[in-house]
Amino acid sequence: MKRSLLIFVLPALALAGCTKIEEEDATLALPEVAAPDLSVETMKSITEELSSDAYEGRAPGTAGEEKATKLISAKFAEAGLEPGNGDSWFQDVPLVGITAKNMSPLTIRGGESDFSFDYGSDYVVASYQEQPKVEVTDSDMVFVGYGINAPERGWNDYADVDVKGKTVVILVNDPDFGTESLDGEFGGRAMTYYGRWTYKYEEAARQGAAAALIIHDTDPAAYGWNVVESSWTGEQFYAQSANGGADQTKLNGWIQKEAAAKIFAAAGEDLAAQMRAAKEKGFKAVDLKQKASVSLENDIKKTDSKNVIGVLKGKTRPDEYVIYTAHWDHLGHCKPAPDGDDICNGAIDNATGTAALVALAEAYVKAGAPDRSVIFLAVTAEESGLLGSKYYAENPIYPLSQTVGGVNMDAFAMAGPATNVVVVGKGKSELDAYLEAALKEDGRVAEAEPTPEKGFYYRSDHFSFAKLGVPMIYFEGGEDMVDGGREAGEAAAKDYTDNRYHGPKDEYDPNWDWTGVMGDLKVYYTVGRMMAMTEDWPNWNEGDEFRAIRDKSRAGS
Ligand SMILES: [Zn+2]
């Protein structure tokens, strides 16, 4: 059955008293989608299996990867998909894994007093360079504010300072973090890419710095020191590069705010005052008048990790593709909990999303192939900086210009059914209308993410595709619970962030209530199925940063 449901996308009238009504009413013809046959048993069993200790936290390049990718491909086959890469279920993703050892303390000399900071508790550092021994010795320290060089905004924290061979000290997030509204040089309260730590290191490397240390601060970073520590210790993965990371800084890392405050004080500076100064346009970098030394040794291992890919060929337009993505990897062995448990099992993050790929594949096959082809892509190394999705997007098996759009799933909320879903990047693309249509039957609503300052838009695999123009939607079950409202939802979310997220206690729980998850899964199904049945090519909204990239990509196809 294929009826057309006309959805009229009306101009936003949210501003009461606003008299200007835009002329253009876009109309989208969205196909109606029959209720899917989704298996809670599949969700439960695969989540439990992938997050069991036998998979050792699914770090790329480990025995846990071997088991996980084997399981996912077997389940794709059982569901009735075809291998997505010719005869193969896999796409090799060349990575280099670097494990640091023999880390020295971080010593600081030359100020009013000398300091020695401990690895792990005071600072963490890693090297992107494939060198067996890396050291920075007596390197001049410079505070470069937010470490942003944004010519299009007339902002350069590196203006008039030469940081070659020096150690730059950087604030996390961006200068208008902490404002109430979304207006401002850097998106107001919302984080821009300039606020992400990945950007800070990229820019420090472009400036020729020897080392880059970000001052940790829980609010603007959006997570506590425990998360920094668990994510930065143990093996770190990078994309293999021809020059072995020679264009990178020698060392990148984080330092606790208390330690940074001591360094500033020893230079006769006040950290809090400098943090305020860094928010102002025209901020000038500050010489911290001290020298940093730190060293470590690297165990270097080249490894081909794997994306797992299955496809359901479209019935009438098989060369047009809709893509579902979820990362299968997690952190592996990590900092032990007080009870000695050192496996970061990643049950919610993201065994649930991986299980969802299989449950969706089953439901798609049962419903019969849609008009367009559907790709199910379980990517590696998300936790190492979206490396698997980035690799696929840069080396696509199916052309991105022919990829209509997609849905990313990363960590299902386990707090029970919610009346809302939260969209990360709401307002960016026409896929919002698909989502609204999919929610309608169950009377649910789509809300914009409440905390754009946390930069979630840059923190999962949809971003790798968006960056290259493919419209992707990323949403999660919301926090307005059917039972207990927002109070209950916020408490559950806080419990997850404080006690489980990226720690050994993100474990499978046989007492979980899956009703909320299954409701969310239905929405993921419906949005993707609509994309796979329509003849439309949903685009980024006018003015969105990715629209021009998409238009160019489509024009070339
Ligand atoms: Zn995740």
Side-chain angles (χ1 to χ4, degrees), residues 496-539:
Y496 175 67
T497 311
D498 292 353
N499 302 319
R500 279 165 250 288
Y501 174 70
H502 282 202
K505 296 303 162 198
D506 180 0
E507 290 177 318
Y508 183 78
D509 180 347
N511 298 316
W512 273 334
D513 169 5
W514 288 79
T515 44
V517 169
M518 296 314 286
D520 294 343
L521 190 58
K522 180 187 165 190
V523 181
Y524 290 119
Y525 176 90
T526 308
V527 169
R529 187 95 191 176
M530 283 192 292
M531 272 192 258
M533 294 303 286
T534 179
E535 291 184 6
D536 281 342
W537 288 83
N539 202 343

Side-chain angles (χ1 to χ4, degrees), residues 148-155 185-186 194 281:
I148 293 171
N149 178 15
E152 79 288 2
R153 287 163 160 91
W155 189 291
E185 200 86 50
F186 292 90
Y194 293 111
K281 203 168 196 167

Side-chain angles (χ1 to χ4, degrees), residues 249-546:
T249 54
K250 286 184 176 177
L251 292 165
N252 290 318
W254 295 73
I255 184 165
Q256 291 260 39
K257 196 176 175 184
E258 296 71 37
K262 287 181 190 166
I263 297 169
F264 276 67
E269 301 286 351
D270 176 48
L271 174 59
Q274 285 301 333
M275 286 173 76
R276 284 192 297 275
K279 288 176 170 295
E280 303 301 325
K281 203 168 196 167
F283 163 82
K284 290 271 175 289
V286 177
D287 180 358
L288 291 174
K289 300 171 208 148
Q290 290 157 92
K291 293 174 188 297
S293 300
V294 61
S295 67
L296 52 74
E297 288 168 31
N298 283 324
D299 281 335
I300 300 160
K301 190 181 80 187
K302 298 232 165 147
T303 173
D304 274 339
S305 188
K306 287 182 178 67
N307 291 332
V308 188
I309 184 163
V311 64
L312 177 62
K313 292 254 168 67
K315 216 164 47 187
T316 58
R317 281 168 287 139
D319 56 351
E320 297 174 8
Y321 308 93
V322 172
I323 191 162
Y324 281 99
T325 55
H327 72 90
W328 61 256
D329 68 298
H330 198 56
L331 301 169
H333 287 269
C334 56
K335 194 192 169 201
D339 65 1
D341 177 3
D342 78 336
I343 297 177
C344 274
N345 303 80
I348 286 178
D349 184 8
N350 188 28
T352 54
T354 311
L357 285 177
V358 177
L360 288 171
E362 290 171 350
Y364 267 85
V365 171
K366 279 183 203 153
D371 292 348
R372 287 168 161 158
S373 294
V374 184
I375 302 162
F376 297 85
L377 179 65
V379 294
T380 182
E382 188 268 357
E383 304 288 9
S384 312
L386 319 181
L387 299 178
S389 56
K390 186 168 185 277
Y391 187 82
Y392 179 91
E394 289 171 359
N395 305 274
I397 295 167
Y398 303 97
L400 295 189
S401 61
Q402 286 296 107
T403 303
V404 178
V407 178
N408 181 46
M409 301 178 291
D410 191 354
F412 279 67
M414 280 294 173
T419 65
N420 60 342
V421 300
V422 168
V423 188
V424 177
K426 191 171 191 293
K428 291 186 78 67
S429 82
E430 292 167 353
L431 292 178
D432 284 355
Y434 288 63
L435 175 61
E436 257 152 49
L439 289 167
K440 211 171 171 188
E441 184 181 290
D442 295 324
R444 300 178 72 189
V445 292
E447 284 174 16
E449 56 175 332
T451 53
E453 64 274 22
K454 294 187 179 181
F456 282 112
Y457 197 76
Y458 309 101
R459 287 169 59 180
S460 190
D461 296 302
H462 55 280
F463 180 58
S464 298
F465 288 85
K467 236 167 133 179
L468 295 179
V470 179
M472 294 286 288
I473 191 157
Y474 175 49
F475 57 91
E476 295 180 342
E479 293 178 9
D480 189 1
M481 312 317 292
V482 172
D483 292 326
R486 292 196 187 260
E487 208 181 317
E490 280 158 22
K494 185 171 168 11
D495 171 66
Y496 175 67
T497 311
D498 292 353
N499 302 319
R500 279 165 250 288
Y501 174 70
H502 282 202
K505 296 303 162 198
D506 180 0
E507 290 177 318
Y508 183 78
D509 180 347
N511 298 316
W512 273 334
D513 169 5
W514 288 79
T515 44
V517 169
M518 296 314 286
D520 294 343
L521 190 58
K522 180 187 165 190
V523 181
Y524 290 119
Y525 176 90
T526 308
V527 169
R529 187 95 191 176
M530 283 192 292
M531 272 192 258
M533 294 303 286
T534 179
E535 291 184 6
D536 281 342
W537 288 83
N539 202 343
W540 301 96
N541 290 331
E542 205 68 65
D544 190 83
E545 61 199 307
F546 303 122

